[in-house]
Amino acid sequence: MMDLRHIPNQRDQETVKMHLRRFWLAPVGIVFYTTMLYLLPGIAAVAYHARLTTLLAQPLLGPVTAIIICMYILGVWLFGFLEFTDYYLDVWIVTNERIINIEQKGLFTRVASELHLAAIQDATSEVSGPLHTFLDYGNVVVETAAEKIRFVFREVPKPESVKEIILELVEQDKKRHNEELAVDIAEQGGTPQQQAQQSSQTKTGPV
Amino acid sequence: MPLSVHIPLAVLLIPYALFLCYFSFYAFFNLYLLLRFGIYNPVAVFVIIIFSAGSIFLLAASSAFLLSYSWSSPMDFSSIINGVKGPLAPLL
């Protein structure tokens, strides 16, 4: 299993600031539907117990019905857990360097993409609908300027706070990179302006 | 001369066996995905244990349920007609 202290391709001093999944209503919904798929036929079986017993005692229809019942019970169990896996493996990891978007599409397709904080231009939170507003969950859309890349954190809890944290991390990342750049320039000698002049002279140097 | 074909009830177990193959494949792949790509936390471990234990229990229970039938006996198609006319009439 993946440990959040050791994410894939982790850089020096990169730390996980938050990891997000869809709001808890999603797994509760899966449990609810699975329970209903067991409960409703179960109630029907209890209500028509005598007829079901007669049917199961039939020489041919009995075994056929028994097989169908077994397949149904196992199928619902598998369906419930496949849905849970689909929910559980959709995750957004925000570090102080990048955002990693991992999406599980069905059982055999897994898409992992990442976005560096330096490339982020804007983050928007969307909460629409009475239930979303009451329980405070919704989407967060992270956009870059040039490449028109959009990361959508779907149905995450507290989208407003998530957006604020992302924007704050973007600011911190910019500051850190500027400081690192200044240190590099200072180590090479000269002020940033001088360095810039030198570099422009090199590029447009005498023919 | 009446044509009598003796097909054992066990033939009905073929689709069930195919379903069990499908179930096993998806269940193992599901567990593999959770163990390989899931983020470690106690809830995930709990879910994996519940799924594994539940699957084993349901497979054992369904096998026990199906073993109560005599699968070697021939299929009796006339029982369907008799059943429709007799005890299953209100059901069908």
Side-chain angles (χ1 to χ4, degrees):
Chain A
M1 293 182 103
M2 190 162 72
D3 188 340
L4 282 175
R5 287 170 297 181
H6 305 289
I7 55 171
N9 307 319
Q10 190 165 12
R11 283 126 215 215
D12 292 339
Q13 297 177 344
E14 184 178 18
T15 51
V16 174
K17 295 295 177 185
M18 61 180 165
H19 79 280
L20 301 160
R21 281 200 186 86
R22 275 180 280 154
F23 191 56
W24 56 260
L25 217 56
V28 166
I30 294 166
V31 172
F32 177 77
Y33 289 128
T34 309
T35 309
M36 281 297 126
L37 285 171
Y38 276 134
L39 208 61
L40 295 178
I43 291 168
V46 171
Y48 298 100
H49 180 257
R51 286 177 183 181
L52 185 65
T53 311
T54 313
L55 183 66
L56 287 171
Q58 289 290 307
L60 182 58
L61 287 177
V64 170
T65 311
I67 286 173
I68 290 169
I69 289 171
C70 288
M71 284 165 79
Y72 179 81
I73 290 169
L74 287 167
V76 169
W77 182 255
L78 187 64
F79 163 79
F81 276 91
L82 290 179
E83 284 294 306
F84 174 81
T85 304
D86 193 38
Y87 153 78
Y88 191 74
L89 295 181
D90 279 354
V91 65
W92 298 276
I93 301 168
V94 181
T95 74
N96 57 346
E97 290 276 346
R98 58 194 167 139
I99 295 173
I100 304 166
N101 175 24
I102 303 169
E103 259 185 280
Q104 186 70 35
K105 294 175 178 174
L107 206 59
F108 303 107
T109 308
R110 187 173 163 80
V111 180
S113 44
E114 64 177 60
L115 184 63
H116 289 267
L117 293 181
I120 293 173
Q121 184 78 10
D122 191 25
T124 320
S125 65
E126 297 171 352
V127 179
S128 60
L131 195 64
H132 289 70
T133 308
F134 182 67
L135 295 172
D136 193 17
Y137 71 101
N139 298 345
V140 176
V141 183
V142 177
E143 287 172 299
T144 62
E147 296 171 41
K148 292 182 180 173
I149 296 171
R150 275 164 63 96
F151 266 27
V152 184
F153 297 19
R154 285 192 180 83
E155 311 272 287
V156 291
K158 299 181 179 165
E160 186 65 27
S161 308
V162 171
K163 184 200 81 177
E164 292 298 328
I165 291 168
I166 289 170
L167 290 176
E168 199 177 308
L169 285 170
V170 169
E171 283 304 311
Q172 286 174 7
D173 185 64
K174 275 180 190 165
K175 274 183 197 167
R176 196 170 59 250
H177 281 293
N178 285 341
E179 283 167 11
E180 282 171 7
L181 193 67
V183 169
D184 285 347
I185 290 167
E187 279 174 0
Q188 287 168 11
T191 60
Q193 286 82 3
Q194 285 170 336
Q195 289 286 323
Q197 275 178 353
Q198 278 176 7
S199 117
S200 64
Q201 278 170 3
T202 316
K203 281 178 192 165
T204 58
V207 182
Chain B
M1 192 174 139
L3 181 70
S4 68
V5 182
H6 291 285
I7 306 168
L9 273 176
V11 169
L12 295 174
L13 290 174
I14 293 171
Y16 183 66
L18 290 174
F19 175 80
L20 284 186
C21 290
Y22 169 88
F23 179 88
S24 306
F25 175 73
Y26 274 82
F28 278 116
F29 206 77
N30 193 28
L31 281 175
Y32 168 77
L33 283 177
L34 283 173
L35 289 167
R36 174 81 176 77
F37 300 111
I39 292 172
Y40 178 81
N41 72 23
V43 176
V45 174
F46 177 73
V47 168
I48 288 168
I49 291 168
I50 290 289
F51 177 63
S52 306
S55 298
I56 291 166
F57 171 75
L58 288 177
L59 285 169
S62 64
S63 301
F65 180 44
L66 293 177
L67 278 174
S68 61
Y69 289 97
S70 171
W71 296 98
S72 55
S73 55
M75 284 191 199
D76 181 10
F77 292 100
S78 62
S79 69
I80 300 174
I81 299 155
N82 294 337
V84 170
K85 286 176 184 169
L88 293 178
L91 195 71
L92 304 169

